[in-house]
Amino acid sequence: MSSHLPILVLFPGFWGNKTTEIVQWWFSLVILYFQRNYEIVLITYEGHSIKDFVASAGRQTILLKQQRRPIYAIGYSTGAQIIRGIEMHAPGTFSKVVLLSGVENFGVRFTVFVQSLRAVFWPLLRSVVLGPLVLDQAKYIERLFLGRTRNEKRRGSFIAELLKKYLHPEDRRAVFQIATPGLRVRYPGLKCPTLVIIPEGDFFAADATYEADNVYKRLSILGDHSVYVHHSNALTLLFGKIARFFRHQT
């Protein structure tokens, strides 16, 4: 990689963070758009808790600071909380941050927790006994990732890819630390300029306010929690706005 390029670090969400191959699939369109002008760094998570995830992600990013180049971050879903954890332990790591359907600094809202109990009750109950939270049926993926999406062809191909290759079990402790009242892990809000992007039909983040973060701008787009992995003209326009946010002084 060219040593003069700024660095763009990509933080994945739940069920898509254990291997570089899986992370690359979730961020494939982001990588395609930004790879010519940024050195892309893909983060994977190790461990069983949010604090474990933050520690492992921090080990992967700490050496980047020694290169004296601007470091930007994009956090998808739970990736937002991992970025906050890194910033708490190493303030100033990131020049700017973009949150794609990111959770808030306390995790997901109580209303989302209640909706999750209804949407994936049996996988949650099963995880209490067996450990990992497994989304192994199409109906669970539809409820969490696809929302009100009506394109049946898109639904079918997306679900098939996830079930076959790009969705892994997630440790229940980490999930509960994002979603369950009384167990949620809270981090300080981001102090660096932060661009927030929320699809109108997003299951996890549609009502998020990000009051603790230094939000430069909030963009509302059409779509659901999986919108970032589907080709569209609107997505290209969105990535263009992200690129301008990174380039311009705020």
Side-chain angles (χ1 to χ4, degrees):
M1 286 291 180
S2 299
S3 60
H4 68 280
L5 292 177
I7 299 170
L8 178 56
V9 190
L10 305 181
F11 293 84
F14 281 149
W15 302 292
N17 56 63
K18 295 305 182 187
T19 69
T20 299
E21 179 188 18
I22 292 176
V23 176
Q24 187 172 20
W25 182 86
W26 278 99
F27 282 112
S28 59
L29 297 183
V30 175
I31 295 169
L32 183 64
Y33 187 94
F34 287 96
Q35 64 186 351
R36 297 184 66 178
N37 297 311
Y38 296 84
E39 179 180 342
I40 306 294
V41 177
L42 304 179
I43 299 298
T44 57
Y45 307 147
E46 297 178 354
H48 304 284
S49 68
I50 293 299
K51 292 182 179 180
D52 289 343
F53 290 1
V54 169
S56 68
R59 290 191 294 270
Q60 296 169 68
T61 58
I62 192 168
L63 295 179
L64 301 176
K65 296 183 68 174
Q66 300 176 7
Q67 301 185 35
R68 301 183 181 276
R69 288 185 279 164
I71 303 175
Y72 304 103
I74 294 180
Y76 168 62
S77 194
T78 308
Q81 195 69 316
I82 309 306
I83 292 173
R84 293 189 189 97
I86 291 174
E87 277 288 305
M88 184 184 77
H89 294 292
T93 296
F94 305 109
S95 299
K96 294 182 179 180
V97 169
V98 174
L99 304 183
L100 304 178
S101 299
V103 299
E104 295 179 86
N105 72 310
F106 53 82
V108 299
R109 292 179 171 267
F110 179 74
T111 53
V112 176
F113 169 72
V114 174
Q115 292 168 3
S116 299
L117 290 178
R118 299 171 180 170
V120 290
F121 176 78
W122 287 113
L124 285 168
L125 183 62
R126 183 172 56 196
S127 73
V128 172
V129 178
L130 300 180
L133 180 55
V134 182
L135 303 179
D136 54 358
Q137 295 186 35
K139 62 182 179 181
Y140 303 136
I141 297 172
E142 287 184 331
R143 293 167 184 172
L144 298 185
F145 290 98
L146 295 176
R148 294 189 295 267
T149 301
R150 298 181 181 276
N151 187 318
E152 294 301 324
K153 182 178 180 181
R154 171 189 163 185
R155 294 172 81 93
S157 60
F158 177 74
I159 291 170
E161 284 187 283
L162 285 183
L163 290 175
K164 182 178 180 180
K165 195 171 184 180
Y166 298 112
L167 205 69
H168 58 71
E170 194 62 77
D171 194 286
R172 68 180 179 192
R173 189 191 312 175
V175 176
F176 291 172
Q177 288 176 342
I178 286 292
T180 308
L183 299 177
R184 291 179 295 189
V185 174
R186 179 184 294 264
Y187 286 112
L190 294 167
K191 295 182 178 179
C192 62
T194 302
L195 178 64
V196 171
I197 299 166
I198 303 294
E200 294 178 358
D202 195 290
F203 181 90
F204 295 100
D207 296 325
T209 63
Y210 304 97
E211 295 177 1
D213 299 307
N214 179 22
V215 177
Y216 169 72
K217 184 180 291 187
R218 172 180 172 138
L219 300 178
S220 180
I221 63 174
L222 296 176
D224 49 46
H225 202 63
S226 70
V227 67
Y228 311 105
V229 293
H230 300 283
H231 286 279
S232 72
N233 293 331
L235 202 59
T236 301
L237 292 173
L238 176 65
F239 291 160
K241 292 179 181 179
I242 293 174
R244 288 192 292 274
F245 168 68
F246 285 154
R247 290 196 304 266
H248 294 167
Q249 292 185 347
T250 53

